[in-house]
Amino acid sequence: MTAYVSAFDLFSIGVGPSSSHTVGPMRAAVDFVERLQQSGTIARVTRVSCALYGSLGATGIGHGTPDAVVAGLRGLHPETVDPAAVRNAWTNYPENEPLNLAGEHEVAFVKADITFEPRTRLPGHPNAMTLWAYSGDEVVAEETYYSVGGGFIRREGQGESLGTRSFPYAYRDAESLLELCDEHGLSIAEIARHNEESLRGEAEVAEGLDAIWNAMAGCVDAGLHTPGVLPGILGVKRRANTIREQLEASESDGHRELPGEWLGAFALAVNEENAAGGRVVTAPTNGAAGILPAVAMYWWRFLADSGLGQGNAVTPHGELVGSALLGFTSEATEPNPNNLSEEELADANRRRGIRRFLLTATALGSLFKANASISGAEGGCQAEVGSACAMAAGGLTAVMGGTNRQIENAAEIAMEHHLGLTCDPVGGLVQIPCIERNAIAASTAVTAARLALRGDGTHYVSLDAVVETMRQTGIDMSTKYKETSEGGLAVNVIEC
């Protein structure tokens, strides 16, 4: 067994506002309908229903869960669906209109066919849902699913949807990951890259990582250029667009760029897009989706060309690693194999840096998923924002030329200072305090990276100790502080 999760599972392109409440339930509904098709049962089905338990029932409406279920039953996938097709799919469902399962078979459906059971908590996970298919009054299919965070689902009686994979570089914790790096003279990013290349070719890995970054950067850009008010009863105003205008005006007046303020704007932009149900990348969840893109964009815009992001990491054995920022063979051996222009070469170097950033973050994020949790319903917001902050801190340290132990130290610093963070969304919406929380965590990630880079990688508290502490804290945390909106800000702030 290994902790490693592929970057293309951990960073999945989907829709907002929640990976566990929107993306996961949509995938569960898709899986349910596909099973009806595979068994030949779908032709007999006359009606379907769904019960949302625990956290899915408590904050499902605010997170768009029933809308996602309807979209999934229609056969729409979060990776490819037009976000507009998900918004209000259940909320504004037309009366007396049949539901077209998988786009091929019409069944009777009314809004009351999706029920909310917040007081019923199934033992498998706080985010649970059961789907039924009927032929007349007869139940012809029944499946229970758990949305375990980050868009991952687990069907009752089986493992998670990504299945069990073996990788050439297997590790269970940060200590064994560092030992692997020492033994083979590899960076953390290179360990992840070799694991990815056991599933797909080198070019496909690079192209896939570029696609993830393009989606992240597109989300940042969309959020920076979209004014208005977010959906929901709170009437929260978008701020990223206004901040962008202010910063651009300041720069045009001859004032210096303000990297720290841009960093916050990048994070706000992504999470405002997420709250609006737009196209986002789970990183590793939707509620924490702004942190990694913000820190990566901060490096891309302010550090990549300064020399600070061009350094080589040195393994404990003394070998240089990542001389081309990622170390893909063709790029490492020839600095400019295609005779690119200076601008094109700079862009290529930045892209190699982003790949290194994402692969490092993947290797670290896998540790949180395997040994603790990335689900707010299971571990509180420490599991979402804390994990994302640690992943971003490690990724930034890597592209700043940090050693493997400095990377591990940065992740530890970032996570340590999110221990105990509760998940208490006001009104069950991924808006307050979630949007600002991503901006603060992005700043923490940068601070953690800079602190780690000033040291030699040795430190008192290990990343493994912090991960285990996070796991224990999540178990001890009261349920009302874990995505149920039954405690904290959710009950102490007037919604309207």
Side-chain angles (χ1 to χ4, degrees):
M1 288 292 292
T2 179
Y4 189 78
V5 176
S6 172
F8 304 106
D9 291 317
L10 199 61
F11 298 119
S12 61
I13 299 172
V15 294
S18 172
S19 51
S20 59
H21 284 61
T22 313
V23 177
M26 192 186 306
R27 286 179 175 154
V30 167
D31 183 81
F32 182 70
V33 172
E34 287 179 347
R35 291 181 181 279
L36 293 176
Q37 291 175 305
Q38 293 164 4
S39 66
T41 309
I42 193 167
R44 298 175 53 204
V45 178
T46 57
R47 184 172 71 90
V48 293
S49 67
C50 175
L52 302 173
Y53 303 114
S55 181
L56 292 185
T59 61
I61 292 179
H63 285 75
T65 306
D67 299 314
V69 171
V70 170
L73 290 172
R74 286 173 171 159
L76 302 176
H77 294 256
E79 297 84 357
T80 56
V81 66
D82 179 350
V86 183
R87 298 188 195 108
N88 301 316
W90 173 85
T91 306
N92 295 336
Y93 197 87
E95 216 174 316
N96 301 319
E97 181 174 304
L99 179 64
N100 201 357
L101 294 183
E104 69 173 49
H105 179 69
E106 290 188 348
V107 298
F109 184 82
V110 295
K111 288 178 65 175
D113 286 325
I114 296 182
T115 60
F116 302 86
E117 308 289 344
R119 300 300 177 189
T120 301
R121 297 175 66 85
L122 302 191
H125 193 274
N127 290 330
M129 56 187 284
T130 298
L131 289 149
W132 293 272
Y134 305 86
S135 179
D137 294 330
E138 177 191 2
V139 175
V140 294
E142 176 182 343
E143 297 286 357
T144 293
Y145 295 88
Y146 301 102
S147 182
V148 297
F152 293 96
I153 60 172
R154 184 176 68 242
R155 187 167 61 90
E156 185 76 76
Q158 287 199 339
E160 288 182 17
S161 56
L162 72 162
T164 302
R165 291 172 174 166
S166 60
F167 293 98
Y169 292 93
Y171 59 90
R172 285 298 304 168
D173 50 28
E175 182 180 4
S176 58
L177 172 58
L178 291 175
E179 289 173 353
L180 269 180
C181 293
D182 291 351
E183 179 183 353
H184 297 281
L186 297 172
S187 70
I188 291 174
E190 287 172 323
I191 290 287
R193 176 169 67 86
H194 288 306
N195 282 342
E196 296 297 339
E197 289 178 358
S198 71
L199 302 176
R200 49 185 65 85
E202 177 182 307
E204 188 180 351
V205 172
E207 290 169 3
L209 293 171
D210 288 349
I212 290 171
W213 170 242
N214 289 342
M216 287 181 170
C219 189
V220 171
D221 186 67
L224 287 175
H225 291 86
T226 305
V229 177
L230 295 172
I233 61 174
L234 302 179
V236 174
K237 292 183 179 179
R238 286 178 177 256
R239 287 180 288 171
N241 176 71
T242 301
I243 294 173
R244 173 192 58 79
E245 291 175 342
Q246 293 170 347
L247 291 173
E248 288 178 346
S250 177
E251 290 166 6
S252 66
D253 289 340
H255 296 87
R256 64 181 179 85
E257 290 183 326
L258 302 169
E261 293 196 43
W262 275 110
L263 173 68
F266 297 152
L268 291 179
V270 173
N271 284 87
E272 286 173 358
E273 280 296 289
N274 178 64
R279 174 74 62 206
V280 295
V281 178
T282 58
T285 67
N286 282 29
I291 300 165
L292 272 95
V295 174
M297 185 64 78
Y298 168 82
W299 173 82
W300 177 287
R301 177 162 175 173
F302 299 106
L303 302 178
D305 298 329
S306 67
L308 294 175
Q310 304 292 337
N312 297 318
V314 181
T315 72
H317 298 300
E319 297 92 348
L320 288 176
V321 298
S323 58
L325 291 183
L326 179 59
F328 283 5
T329 304
S330 61
E331 297 165 328
T333 55
E334 297 182 69
N336 190 4
N338 297 314
N339 296 317
L340 302 176
S341 68
E342 185 175 333
E343 183 177 346
E344 290 171 332
L345 183 60
D347 182 72
N349 284 334
R350 284 194 294 268
R351 283 197 172 273
R352 286 195 288 271
I354 289 297
R355 295 171 200 157
R356 184 184 180 102
F357 182 105
L358 292 174
L359 287 173
T360 302
T362 298
L364 296 171
S366 298
L367 297 172
F368 294 105
K369 177 167 172 48
N371 299 321
S373 176
I374 58 171
S375 166
E378 193 171 35
C381 203
Q382 59 171 0
E384 296 198 31
V385 165
S387 297
C389 183
M391 293 163 66
L396 181 60
T397 304
V399 296
M400 294 280 283
T403 65
N404 293 325
R405 280 168 173 74
Q406 287 174 321
I407 292 168
E408 184 261 356
N409 188 18
E412 178 273 320
I413 293 170
M415 185 66 241
E416 182 179 1
H417 299 290
H418 282 90
L419 290 173
L421 188 62
T422 59
C423 184
D424 48 356
V426 177
L429 300 169
V430 193
Q431 298 180 14
I432 300 173
C434 319
I435 296 172
E436 285 183 352
R437 186 167 285 175
N438 275 249
I440 299 301
S443 178
T444 299
V446 173
T447 300
R450 293 190 180 279
L451 286 173
L453 286 164
R454 291 295 180 183
D456 62 3
T458 59
H459 52 107
Y460 193 82
V461 180
S462 70
L463 177 57
D464 287 331
V466 171
V467 173
E468 173 58 17
T469 303
M470 191 257 274
R471 186 190 70 82
Q472 294 174 3
T473 304
I475 293 172
D476 293 339
M477 188 181 292
S478 171
T479 299
K480 69 181 182 179
Y481 295 116
K482 293 192 283 190
E483 215 170 43
T484 59
S485 291
E486 294 177 345
L489 286 176
V491 298
N492 288 302
V493 174
I494 298 174
E495 296 177 5
C496 58

